Amino acid sequence: MVIFLGSIALIVVLLLAEMPIAFAFGIGALVFGLASGSDVSFLIPFAYQTTSSFALLALPMFVMAGTLMAEGGISDRLLNFVNAFVGRLKGGLGAVTIVTCALFGAISGSSSAAIAAIGQIMIPRMVKEGYPAGHATALVACSSVLALMIPPSIPMIVFAVTGGISVGAAFLSTVIPGVILAAVYVGLNFLFLRKVDTITVEEPIAFREAVRRVGKTGAEAFWSLLLPVIILGTIYSGIATPTEAAAIALVYAMVIGFLIYRGLKLSNFPSTIVRAAITTGSIIAVLFFLFVMSRAMILQQVPKEVAEALVALTENRILVLLIINVILLLIGMIVDDVSGSVLAAIVLLPVATEIGVHPIHFAAIVGTNLGLGNVSPPCAPMLYMAAGVSKLTLDKYVVPTMKLLALGHLPMVLIVTFVPELSLFLPGLVLGIE
């Protein structure tokens, strides 16, 4: 256990020194493996075999499909469609941002992709129409992590593969919490902006004209909105595995991008593929070294020791769950959502099952909590990514961010943790999981 804690401390120091995540975990895994006496020549083939698994093949295909759809013009069409419903209300653009981030999560499965695709459009647009820049930044950052909760979520794929549970069930476990959290954020957005006088609102239009605009933008966004239906429909109808559904999504994205939206062209297609490959490569590199470390930890029985230590600390199940949530929050603050999912599956899933938490319920806890950590200062990788779009300093957006997290995301983490029916209902209904 001492060696494990020392290796974790080394990784944290390297991350704080801004070393790339893959290298930080690689060094930490090497130090832990050598110090614990593990055979490194055994650990590396295991990591290679795990990263080359069929289930994990869904990850690069979903990343590539999301990248192609973003380049192909899906973001604008989704924004226009949602804007047709609430764009003429005071604070409507904020609601548009939240809902579109959730919809984009159902296509890309990545919070960083949601910031890149939606944030670059909506933050300047909100500021132009009188929204406080700090509020706009906080809104994009907080709603981007809905992508972790709305399937197909890339972190949920990684968690399920690492933890040995059903990918489809992990997807479904966070759907209801994700939809509720999106609705809460929409309500908070309207509440926070009710006294802001600088916001400009378009003149109201006749009902018939409003219906016409909804129909027009809906028709334009139809092919975009159809993609999540295809992905989830093929998975839960049994037609395709998540990996096969990812392949279908990739082909669909290329057809829509080239032939219907025509945002994809021979001139920008190679660079788009390269961007997707770079993103995938960085994720796989991190996963490889995490799997090296995970095997060394399992050989040294670290997960078992952590479980025994937490249970020995207190027999109160509520306190153990609260401690687990604090650890998840700290993990989410330090590393990205994918890395956090692997660490949670390796170290904390055994603890959760030891105290009687259903693995699918724990998947929902992980998906909800890591999103909170990703936008919680001081580290907050997704928050700083959104700030990179708005070019604001921390003092301008930290207060609106903390208000959204304290009144929206934190209560949702606690509800998901202590009301397991919320996350187990859909897996039980669709897949018969008890």
Side-chain angles (χ1 to χ4, degrees):
M1 179 64 74
V2 175
I3 298 173
F4 167 69
L5 293 176
S7 300
I8 294 297
L10 173 62
I11 292 172
V12 171
V13 170
L14 294 175
L15 289 172
L16 293 177
E18 299 186 356
M19 176 175 284
I21 293 176
F23 295 153
F25 277 110
I27 293 173
L30 180 62
V31 169
F32 180 76
L34 293 175
S36 62
S38 301
D39 185 354
V40 177
S41 64
F42 169 74
L43 302 178
I44 292 177
F46 169 81
Y48 176 79
Q49 181 180 6
T50 307
T51 52
S52 60
S53 67
F54 179 75
L56 204 58
L57 186 60
L59 189 154
M61 287 191 287
F62 274 130
V63 170
M64 192 164 293
T67 305
L68 291 172
M69 291 295 280
E71 185 70 27
I74 184 174
S75 307
D76 291 332
R77 287 166 176 81
L78 287 177
L79 288 168
N80 292 336
F81 177 58
V82 179
N83 191 57
F85 286 94
V86 294
R88 293 181 178 276
L89 300 175
K90 184 178 181 179
L93 273 183
V96 169
T97 300
I98 296 164
V99 175
T100 308
C101 279
L103 290 173
F104 198 79
I107 294 170
S108 68
S110 168
S111 53
S112 57
I115 292 176
I118 308 301
Q120 293 190 44
I121 299 172
M122 291 307 295
I123 290 178
R125 187 168 169 180
M126 282 190 281
V127 172
K128 182 180 179 180
E129 298 200 10
Y131 283 66
H135 176 83
T137 303
L139 205 62
V140 168
C142 292
S143 57
S144 72
V145 297
L146 292 170
L148 276 68
M149 305 171 69
I150 306 296
S153 164
I154 291 174
M156 282 294 96
I157 295 173
V158 174
F159 178 86
V161 171
T162 308
I165 63 175
S166 165
V167 174
F171 279 170
L172 287 174
S173 69
T174 54
V175 171
I176 294 177
V179 171
I180 294 175
L181 183 57
V184 169
Y185 275 155
V186 168
L188 290 173
N189 168 70
F190 284 122
L191 178 65
F192 294 161
L193 297 176
R194 70 191 188 284
K195 294 183 179 179
V196 178
D197 299 325
T198 57
I199 298 176
T200 58
V201 181
E202 295 181 30
E203 294 293 327
I205 57 176
F207 178 75
R208 180 174 295 182
E209 175 62 18
V211 172
R212 189 191 70 79
R213 290 193 181 185
V214 169
K216 182 176 182 295
T217 56
E220 292 175 349
F222 172 78
W223 298 105
S224 305
L225 297 170
L226 188 60
L227 180 55
V229 177
I230 292 174
I231 294 171
L232 300 181
T234 54
I235 292 174
Y236 296 119
S237 65
I239 295 175
T241 66
T243 303
E244 292 165 345
I248 294 170
L250 177 56
V251 174
Y252 181 90
M254 294 177 64
V255 172
I256 297 304
F258 275 113
L259 302 181
I260 297 180
Y261 290 161
R262 299 186 179 180
L264 286 177
K265 300 178 177 61
L266 293 178
S267 58
N268 64 7
F269 181 70
S271 61
T272 304
I273 294 297
V274 168
R275 285 204 309 275
I278 291 172
T279 301
T280 302
S282 63
I283 293 174
I284 294 298
V286 172
L287 290 180
F288 179 85
F289 289 115
L290 280 169
F291 289 141
V292 169
M293 190 167 188
S294 72
R295 176 51 59 177
M297 289 164 57
I298 291 170
L299 291 174
Q300 299 300 318
Q301 297 187 328
V302 170
K304 180 181 178 182
E305 291 180 12
V306 172
E308 291 174 348
L310 285 180
V311 173
L313 188 64
T314 175
E315 295 182 358
N316 189 313
R317 186 172 183 270
I318 294 176
L319 287 179
V320 174
L321 283 171
L322 289 174
I323 293 171
I324 288 175
N325 272 297
V326 171
I327 295 173
L328 282 171
L329 178 62
L330 293 174
I331 290 174
M333 287 181 179
I334 296 171
V335 300
D336 62 279
D337 46 15
V338 173
S339 305
S341 297
V342 177
L343 291 174
I346 297 167
V347 180
L348 297 177
L349 181 57
V351 181
T353 54
E354 178 75 18
I355 62 173
V357 176
H358 196 290
I360 303 303
H361 175 208
F362 188 66
I365 295 174
V366 171
T368 309
N369 197 317
L370 286 179
L372 175 62
N374 280 177
V375 287
S376 297
C379 296
M382 293 302 106
L383 180 60
Y384 296 144
M385 184 175 178
V389 176
S390 63
K391 303 294 191 295
L392 292 182
T393 55
L394 179 63
D395 59 297
K396 297 294 192 305
Y397 56 82
V398 67
V399 173
T401 298
M402 297 311 296
K403 288 167 64 176
L404 285 169
L405 296 181
L407 297 177
H409 209 134
L410 180 58
M412 182 52 60
V413 168
L414 297 176
I415 291 171
V416 169
T417 300
F418 297 110
V419 185
E421 295 79 10
L422 198 66
S423 51
L424 292 176
F425 174 73
L426 282 181
L429 179 67
V430 178
L431 301 176
I433 290 177
E434 299 179 357

